[in-house]
Amino acid sequence: MSTLLDENTTHTLRAGAFGHARSLACRECGHEVALGPSYACPECFGPLEVAYDFPAVTREQIAAGPRNIWRYKALLPVPDDIEQSPNTEPGFTRLLRADNLARELGLEKLWVKDDSTNPTNSFKDRVVACALSAARELDAKVFACPSTGNLANAVAAAGARAGIPTVVFIPSNLETPKKVNSAVFTEKLVAVEGNYDDVNKLASEIAGEEEGWAFVNVNVRPFYAEGSKTLGYEIAEQLGWRLPDQIVIPVASGSQLTKVDKAFRELIALGLVEDKPYKVFGAQATGCSPVSVAYKAETDAIRPVKPDTIAKSLAIGNPADGIYVLDVCRRTGGAVEDVSDDEVRDAIVLLARTEGIFTETAGGTTVGVLRKLVETGQLDASLETVVINTGHGLKTLDSVSDRVGPAATIAPSYDAFVASGVL
């Protein structure tokens, strides 16, 4: 499969195009290759990720930056003048103390990192912002992605703001709000008959045939994935420059979970937070839970599945980072758990009615798994815990539309209200 640009391209990267990034390093064998549009190791075909020579960074320098992910630009593969390029400027979303939900679940201290307030209402704006920077520096002509919905929304919006032609590919059975949220930004929304894995395979084929296409989660994936680190940076900064004891993160491809762990380890190495133990937990829907199944079977063999769940944004049957999720959760003393679709729906309503946060099905999955982890004793209820909400519930209204509604329909009179029994 070819990469973003022809290997014989004469395009020259400008100095500092990828900030303090040193190379792309193989996660399997450690082999390093030059920064560029590569995503597979030429030695062992393992996945590549960005390696850095970080400068000295202080908390004060970060705090003086903008209230978005570019406050951490020294730790990302982006140029120092990144703020000068049009982007959606995501990040620095709220970290809410969730005392009501904590009491309901029997936890002593709980926080919700609410990424539903990003520009297109999901965490995907973070990764797309980094991918867009890479696409620009690599002189890409088309900005594209295969997506389960949230990524399509983020790519379509970022491409529009950047003035780059954008094409997004989605499964044809995706939720209507997610289709509309992409189509409003781009006229080139392509619905593919099949599930996400079918869409991803098509995108890989196109990337191999067409020159100048930047598929954010295919051929510029190493740069794209780094955007998820900002979730970890923000949580630590918003907690007063310290790490939580436990964190629960949804798992689709698994990249977000592994990058939050990478962020925590980077902050420790840079001396920005105290080195301390922390546990990472992964959350999947039972209808697409290959990583949870492997964790419970105590194996590294992740068997691909055909997704069947309402949590479509997590419905990746063959997760690229699944094995690395297992490594992080086992290394930190965490776990991977899954919940049924009914438990997902219950958790969406629970979060809304305890904390006023309307989450999509991925967030329902994460809160549902949090509850299950407490009930089964896998998560220590006495320790400080953070749970990540990755998207807004307006994108998946159908999932709970048959569970909520008016308590009564009455005539416009006080007597009718009293008779309704609502009080």
Side-chain angles (χ1 to χ4, degrees), residues 153 156-157 160 177-187 189:
N153 299 168
K178 288 182 178 174
K179 292 181 182 177
V180 174
N181 269 294
S182 293
V184 74
F185 296 117
T186 178
E187 62 184 12
L189 171 68

Side-chain angles (χ1 to χ4, degrees), residues 86 88 132 143 153-166 182 184-186:
T88 56
L132 177 58
F143 200 46
N153 299 168
V155 166
R161 180 156 166 72
I164 298 178
T166 301
S182 293
V184 74
F185 296 117
T186 178

Side-chain angles (χ1 to χ4, degrees), residues 37-99:
S38 303
Y39 60 100
C41 177
E43 297 294 324
C44 71
F45 302 107
L48 298 174
E49 69 173 356
V50 180
Y52 299 87
D53 288 323
F54 285 131
V57 180
T58 67
R59 296 175 181 178
E60 290 74 20
Q61 288 173 329
I62 292 173
R67 291 180 66 82
N68 57 52
I69 65 170
W70 303 139
R71 67 198 285 110
Y72 309 106
K73 62 184 179 183
L75 309 179
L76 298 170
V78 299
D80 190 55
D81 62 353
I82 182 65
E83 296 104 317
Q84 305 306 314
S85 302
N87 214 309
T88 56
E89 288 82 38
F92 221 67
T93 56
R94 58 187 185 172
L95 180 70
L96 294 173
R97 180 76 179 258
D99 289 342

